[in-house]
Amino acid sequence: MTTEEFSNEFDTLLNSYSVIDKFGKGENPSTIELDEYEKSVFLTKAQEEIVIDLYSGKNPLGDSFEKTEEVRRYLSDLIKTYTTTEKKTGYVGLSKTSIFFELPEDLWFITYESAGLEDSRLGCMNGEEISVIPISQDDYFRISGNPFRGSNKRRALRLDNGNGIVEIVSEYNIDRYLVRYIARPDPIILTDLPDNLSINKVSEKTECKLNPVIHRAILEKAVKLAILSKAPSAGSNK
C-alpha cells in the first residue's frame, strides 16, 4: 500500500466502528476522527508489534523466525549484515581480554554473529571465523573458567554493555566482528510532519518498506490500536 492508500483505508475501516454515546444507548453513534500524525503513530506501532510477533513466533503459523519460507519473506527486507574492525576504547570489561565493538544504530534483534581471529598463536587457524555466543553477566562468571563452555578456539562470548556497545571475550585476538540482524523498520508516516513532530526521529513522509503481503495486517492492527486508545475515554463518559 502507498501512504495514500493506508490513510484512506484507515479512515474507512475506522469509521465502520461506532462510539456509543455517553448514555450507552447507541442512539447517537459518532465516528473517531484522527489526523495524519495520529494515524502514522498507530500504523508505526502496529508495524513494530507485528515484526516483534513474527520474530518471536507469535504469528498465525505458530513458527519462529526462519522456520518457514513465509515468515522469512515477511521479514526479509529488514535483515542486514554489519561487519566492523573498529574497536572501541575507554570501556572496562569483565575480562582482561575483552574487546568492545559498536552495534549499528538500527539494530533490533541479532540473528547471527561471528568474530574473525587474527592471532599468530593459532597457527593454521589464524584468520578463521568463530561463533559468538551471547551470555548474561551471571552466566559469564559461572562458565568463564570452563574450557568447554567458556571462550576457546571455536567460540567467543558476548556481553551487552549498553548504549549500543558489546563486549566480546576471547582467548585470542579478534580482528573483526560480524553481526546479522533484524533492523527496526522505518516508521510509516503518511505526510510530512511539522518541525515539532517526529516518529522515531523521522518527520518526512515515509512509505511502508515491509513486504506488501503484511500491509493489510498492519492496517487492521493499527485501527484496533486506535479504537482501544479511545475506549477508556468513551467508557468514562457513561
Side-chain angles (χ1 to χ4, degrees), residues 137-155:
Q137 293 188 19
D138 290 341
D139 285 340
Y140 172 75
F141 288 113
R142 184 164 52 84
I143 71 174
S144 58
N146 187 317
F148 299 103
R149 301 187 62 192
S151 59
N152 52 45
K153 289 183 178 181
R154 301 293 180 184
R155 56 187 274 165

Side-chain angles (χ1 to χ4, degrees), residues 43 68 126:
L43 286 165
T68 69
N126 192 23

Side-chain angles (χ1 to χ4, degrees), residues 13 24 32 40 45 96 100 122 126 143 145 165-166 206:
L13 189 55
I32 301 172
S40 298
K45 180 175 175 60
K96 294 180 181 179
F100 297 87
L122 290 166
N126 192 23
I143 71 174
I165 301 294
V166 292
T206 308

Side-chain angles (χ1 to χ4, degrees), residues 20-40:
I20 302 303
D21 69 352
K22 64 180 179 180
F23 298 107
K25 298 178 180 178
E27 296 175 355
N28 300 305
S30 60
T31 58
I32 301 172
E33 294 185 2
L34 300 175
D35 59 29
E36 296 302 278
Y37 170 70
E38 292 173 310
K39 288 188 284 185
S40 298

Side-chain angles (χ1 to χ4, degrees), residues 12-231:
T12 300
L13 189 55
L14 183 64
N15 291 334
S16 66
Y17 295 88
S18 296
V19 178
I20 302 303
D21 69 352
K22 64 180 179 180
F23 298 107
K25 298 178 180 178
E27 296 175 355
N28 300 305
S30 60
T31 58
I32 301 172
E33 294 185 2
L34 300 175
D35 59 29
E36 296 302 278
Y37 170 70
E38 292 173 310
K39 288 188 284 185
S40 298
V41 169
F42 287 121
L43 286 165
T44 299
K45 180 175 175 60
Q47 174 181 241
E48 292 180 350
E49 289 186 3
I50 285 177
V51 169
I52 292 172
D53 285 348
L54 288 171
Y55 171 75
S56 61
K58 298 176 183 177
N59 63 81
L61 301 174
D63 293 323
S64 59
F65 175 67
E66 284 201 328
K67 196 170 183 181
T68 69
E69 180 69 15
E70 186 172 354
V71 174
R72 285 198 295 271
R73 295 286 72 77
Y74 287 166
L75 300 180
S76 61
D77 292 332
L78 297 178
I79 299 173
K80 298 183 180 181
T81 301
Y82 169 81
T83 304
T84 181
T85 59
E86 182 180 353
K87 301 171 184 177
K88 309 301 290 187
T89 59
Y91 297 93
V92 178
L94 298 183
S95 168
K96 294 180 181 179
T97 61
S98 292
I99 302 173
F100 297 87
F101 293 101
E102 186 174 14
L103 295 171
E105 189 174 342
D106 64 345
L107 182 146
W108 237 16
F109 305 110
I110 295 176
T111 61
Y112 172 81
E113 53 190 320
S114 66
L117 299 176
E118 189 65 41
D119 196 312
S120 58
R121 293 176 295 167
L122 290 166
C124 62
M125 283 193 64
N126 192 23
E128 291 288 323
E129 293 281 333
I130 62 173
S131 298
V132 175
I133 309 301
I135 62 170
S136 67
Q137 293 188 19
D138 290 341
D139 285 340
Y140 172 75
F141 288 113
R142 184 164 52 84
I143 71 174
S144 58
N146 187 317
F148 299 103
R149 301 187 62 192
S151 59
N152 52 45
K153 289 183 178 181
R154 301 293 180 184
R155 56 187 274 165
L157 305 178
R158 184 255 293 170
L159 299 103
D160 291 314
N161 203 52
N163 299 317
I165 301 294
V166 292
E167 176 182 354
I168 307 297
V169 180
S170 172
E171 292 185 17
Y172 301 93
N173 184 57
I174 290 175
D175 179 60
R176 61 195 177 278
Y177 175 57
L178 178 148
V179 57
R180 181 165 292 174
Y181 64 98
I182 295 179
R184 182 175 190 171
D186 292 336
I188 302 172
I189 302 180
L190 302 179
T191 188
D192 291 342
L193 301 175
D195 293 338
N196 62 326
L197 294 177
S198 65
I199 301 175
N200 296 347
K201 300 181 181 180
V202 179
S203 58
E204 296 81 18
K205 178 179 176 181
T206 308
E207 303 281 351
C208 180
K209 304 294 198 314
L210 296 187
N211 192 312
V213 173
I214 61 173
H215 284 190
R216 188 155 302 281
I218 293 171
L219 173 65
E220 292 174 354
K221 188 173 186 67
V223 171
K224 290 178 181 178
L225 291 173
I227 293 168
L228 288 173
S229 73
K230 300 300 180 181

Side-chain angles (χ1 to χ4, degrees), residues 3-15:
T3 53
E4 289 77 12
E5 289 170 332
F6 265 116
S7 181
N8 293 335
E9 294 198 32
F10 194 113
D11 290 336
T12 300
L13 189 55
L14 183 64
N15 291 334

